[in-house]
Amino acid sequence: MNLLTPWALLLLPLALLPFWLKGHQGKVYTWLELMPEDKLSDRLNLAIKVTTSLLLVSIVLALTSPHGHDEKIQRIGKGAQTVMVIDRSVSMDHPFAGDNSGHVAEIKSVTARRIITQFIDSRPDDMMGVVGFTNSALYGVKITTNRDAIHSAILAATSPSLNQTNIGAGLTEGVGLFDKIENSGSRTIILLSDGAGKLSPRVKYLLSNRLKERKLSIYWIMLREPGEPSIFSTEEYEEDRVPNSIVLHKYFQALGLTYKAYEADNPETLQSAISDINAREKKAIKYFETIAGYDYSRVFIIIALILGLLLLAIKNLRIHD
């Protein structure tokens, strides 16, 4: 058993207070010989003291937050260890570029949040981590099976931030999450952004080594801005005028890893991209899930409640002449 707040044990001496303090109740007699011996009252008095002492002990033990040892259980399913690397720049709060419905276009971050949430809920066996990025990486949640934590991280990662897109920092942080967990057999990074900042040669080199060492699959969903050239464009550019998004696309292609890029300029194409990733990443995986130890504090709270009710009943026992 583990105690989360062991300092509370310092309060245990309080359990001796009932034996130390003496109450004054009843009538005062000038001569004790007038008082008949009352063994029942003596026993009840001792019972009250013992019960009060046990009540205080139960409260102190509950305050220590005792928990059983965590348990690791192996799970087998179909899915992947996935890290979502999500752009949090303010441009993600702009409408989609290609909405031809005649209605007000849906905001990119809102659509991304909705579709990614559906993706997470449809993959119960996946372990997922979340990283956001603007001018720097923003840690969301480690790779976990805790759906509540994942959903909270997605909500934070699809909220607006600064007007910068440092994909290098986001990817580096995302790759680092895989170092903290054992390989389950399938590992994937999903990059969702509406731009591509320029990667320095140093970042390219370090990122390349880390991606290859961990043999990660990479999926990039590019949410195109109005007027932004396609990453699949075959147009010839001068060497120093190639759009950053095309440079990043070619960099991923040159890594020799499993890589696929998507372009989305409306909610339907974003949904299609996520659905394609969902179909591709369904390999058999093995992983260990940590089951938290039993919380014994609630047991001691119930004991304290029962003892309190017992004290109340004893204190109300009276013999009437």
Side-chain angles (χ1 to χ4, degrees):
M1 186 183 295
N2 300 316
L3 303 180
L4 299 185
T5 53
W7 57 264
L9 291 174
L10 296 173
L11 301 174
L12 271 180
L14 293 175
L16 299 176
L17 282 176
F19 298 97
W20 180 60
L21 298 175
K22 293 184 179 180
H24 297 281
Q25 186 178 358
K27 298 179 180 179
V28 178
Y29 292 88
T30 58
W31 187 34
L32 291 178
E33 293 299 325
L34 293 174
M35 285 285 296
E37 188 177 357
D38 188 353
K39 292 184 178 181
L40 177 61
S41 294
D42 291 340
R43 288 171 183 167
L44 283 175
N45 185 47
L46 179 60
I48 289 173
K49 290 181 178 181
V50 171
T51 304
T52 305
S53 182
L54 290 174
L55 172 63
L56 292 172
V57 169
S58 299
I59 293 172
V60 170
L61 291 177
L63 289 174
T64 63
S65 297
H67 281 69
H69 294 289
D70 293 345
E71 196 177 346
K72 286 191 174 183
I73 299 177
Q74 188 180 57
R75 303 290 190 192
I76 299 175
K78 287 188 176 181
Q81 289 177 336
T82 304
V83 171
M84 311 286 296
V85 181
I86 302 174
D87 189 349
R88 278 192 61 190
S89 61
V90 292
S91 57
M92 287 290 288
D93 278 345
H94 297 166
F96 276 96
D99 194 314
N100 298 316
S101 63
H103 299 92
V104 176
E106 192 172 4
I107 301 299
K108 288 181 285 187
S109 59
V110 174
T111 306
R113 184 186 307 152
R114 172 173 55 81
I115 293 176
I116 290 173
T117 298
Q118 293 170 358
F119 172 75
I120 292 168
D121 292 339
S122 69
R123 299 174 65 88
D125 295 329
D126 272 15
M127 302 181 73
M128 295 189 180
V130 180
V131 172
F133 65 91
T134 52
N135 63 324
S136 61
L138 301 162
Y139 175 81
V141 68
K142 66 179 182 178
I143 298 174
T144 179
T145 56
N146 187 325
R147 287 301 185 263
D148 290 336
I150 296 169
H151 285 311
S152 295
I154 292 296
L155 179 61
T158 51
S159 300
S161 188
L162 303 176
N163 190 25
Q164 296 184 41
T165 307
N166 190 344
I167 282 183
L171 286 171
T172 301
E173 179 73 17
V175 172
L177 295 186
F178 290 100
D179 296 338
K180 303 172 184 176
I181 192 165
E182 186 179 350
N183 190 345
S184 68
S186 181
R187 302 178 130 191
T188 300
I189 280 187
I190 299 177
L191 171 63
L192 181 70
S193 72
D194 64 352
K198 191 172 183 179
L199 298 182
S200 68
R202 177 179 172 276
V203 171
K204 282 184 178 180
Y205 175 76
L206 292 174
L207 190 56
S208 175
N209 288 340
R210 292 180 182 181
L211 288 166
K212 290 177 181 178
E213 286 172 2
R214 294 155 186 78
K215 298 179 181 178
L216 302 179
S217 300
I218 306 168
Y219 297 96
W220 181 22
I221 304 176
M222 174 66 174
L223 306 180
R224 287 180 61 192
E225 284 280 278
E228 177 116 17
S230 170
I231 59 176
F232 306 117
S233 173
T234 57
E235 184 179 344
E236 295 292 333
Y237 294 93
E238 295 180 22
E239 186 175 350
D240 59 343
R241 301 180 74 86
V242 181
N244 290 332
S245 56
I246 295 177
V247 172
L248 183 63
H249 176 54
K250 291 182 177 178
Y251 167 72
F252 285 145
Q253 286 180 318
L255 291 175
L257 299 170
T258 300
Y259 167 65
K260 185 168 178 60
Y262 306 85
E263 280 188 343
D265 55 8
N266 57 54
E268 289 72 28
T269 50
L270 175 56
Q271 179 66 70
S272 177
I274 291 291
S275 298
D276 186 61
I277 296 172
N278 183 40
R280 289 171 178 270
E281 291 298 325
K282 285 192 174 179
K283 303 178 182 71
I285 60 171
K286 293 181 180 181
Y287 60 92
F288 286 92
E289 183 178 355
T290 301
I291 306 298
Y294 184 77
D295 182 5
Y296 289 96
S297 59
R298 54 184 80 174
V299 174
F300 290 110
I301 290 172
I302 292 173
I303 292 174
L305 177 62
I306 293 172
L307 291 173
L309 293 174
L310 181 60
L311 269 178
L312 189 63
I314 293 175
K315 294 291 284 185
N316 282 280
L317 282 178
R318 295 181 182 274
I319 298 176
H320 299 280
D321 296 331

